[in-house]
Amino acid sequence: MSSYQTVRAGAKQVVKLLEKFPEEPFKYLVSFKTTQLERFSRIAGLPISQKDSSELSNKASIDTIKDVVNRTSGPLGLQKDMLKKMQAAIPHDQFSETSMKEQVNALSNLVGNKYKTYYDVGDKLYKPAGNPEYYQRIIDDIQGKKKENILDGLRTVFMGR
């Protein structure tokens, strides 16, 4: 198998792992999952899914930026030295077989929670004796399961529970 085919197969593995990657609980301007799906789908030669393309439709893609920078000698009135700096800053996806294997390995470790299970901490840290429900309340609040009203919040601050 040639190097190009190996990199392409690795990119397909990365795309499959990224599809298993959980959604981010907070919506930001740029999503890790969405940007990496776009990047590795392009390398693997796969189409970008409709959901991902709708999120990216109102943002300029890397390909669009590359096209604008490479198409003209001085886009948008930029000086030559600024144009050279922009061209140097544009990422070039040139993966080798080893770097693609490292990408697949790192992402599979993240998806599989390898380090959470490898460095498992006991209940002593998750449920401290002074306030055993502390972390569970924070997680519930982040996930929107249980909201505290102002009186419960004040009681927690003053009483410690």
Side-chain angles (χ1 to χ4, degrees), residues 131-149:
N131 194 355
E133 299 298 318
Y134 179 73
Y135 293 111
Q136 189 59 45
R137 275 192 9 256
I138 292 174
I139 290 173
D140 288 344
D141 195 38
I142 288 173
Q143 293 175 348
K145 291 181 183 175
K146 183 180 172 187
K147 295 283 185 181
E148 283 188 355
N149 60 24

Side-chain angles (χ1 to χ4, degrees), residues 107-130:
L107 195 58
S108 63
N109 288 341
L110 284 175
V111 169
N113 281 334
K114 175 184 177 185
Y115 298 107
K116 182 179 179 184
T117 56
Y118 187 76
Y119 298 106
D120 190 28
V121 294
D123 281 344
K124 211 172 198 183
L125 285 177
Y126 285 130
K127 297 180 181 179

Side-chain angles (χ1 to χ4, degrees), residues 49-118:
S49 69
Q50 293 297 324
K51 179 183 174 194
D52 298 331
S53 62
S54 66
E55 288 180 17
L56 294 170
S57 63
N58 57 354
K59 299 177 182 103
S61 69
I62 279 290
D63 292 331
T64 307
I65 295 170
K66 283 182 185 179
D67 183 47
V68 167
V69 170
N70 294 329
R71 197 166 16 122
T72 60
S73 60
L76 308 174
L78 294 176
Q79 298 172 353
K80 297 251 184 214
D81 61 335
M82 181 58 106
L83 181 64
K84 287 179 183 177
K85 288 179 185 177
M86 283 181 62
Q87 286 175 337
I90 292 176
H92 301 286
D93 291 331
Q94 297 174 347
F95 290 103
S96 65
E97 294 177 33
T98 56
S99 66
M100 190 55 73
K101 286 179 185 175
E102 290 172 356
Q103 293 282 334
V104 170
N105 187 25
L107 195 58
S108 63
N109 288 341
L110 284 175
V111 169
N113 281 334
K114 175 184 177 185
Y115 298 107
K116 182 179 179 184
T117 56
Y118 187 76

Side-chain angles (χ1 to χ4, degrees), residues 35-54:
T35 55
Q36 295 305 309
L37 273 172
E38 177 193 11
R39 177 183 184 199
F40 285 104
S41 294
R42 188 171 10 97
I43 294 169
L46 299 172
I48 299 174
S49 69
Q50 293 297 324
K51 179 183 174 194
D52 298 331
S53 62
S54 66

Side-chain angles (χ1 to χ4, degrees), residues 4-45:
Y4 173 74
Q5 291 172 336
T6 306
V7 168
R8 195 168 183 172
K12 287 180 182 177
Q13 285 180 320
V14 169
V15 168
K16 286 180 184 175
L17 286 170
L18 281 168
E19 288 171 350
K20 293 178 187 176
F21 208 74
E23 292 293 328
E24 295 172 3
F26 301 110
K27 299 296 178 195
Y28 298 104
L29 294 176
V30 178
S31 165
F32 170 77
K33 181 178 178 179
T34 306
T35 55
Q36 295 305 309
L37 273 172
E38 177 193 11
R39 177 183 184 199
F40 285 104
S41 294
R42 188 171 10 97
I43 294 169

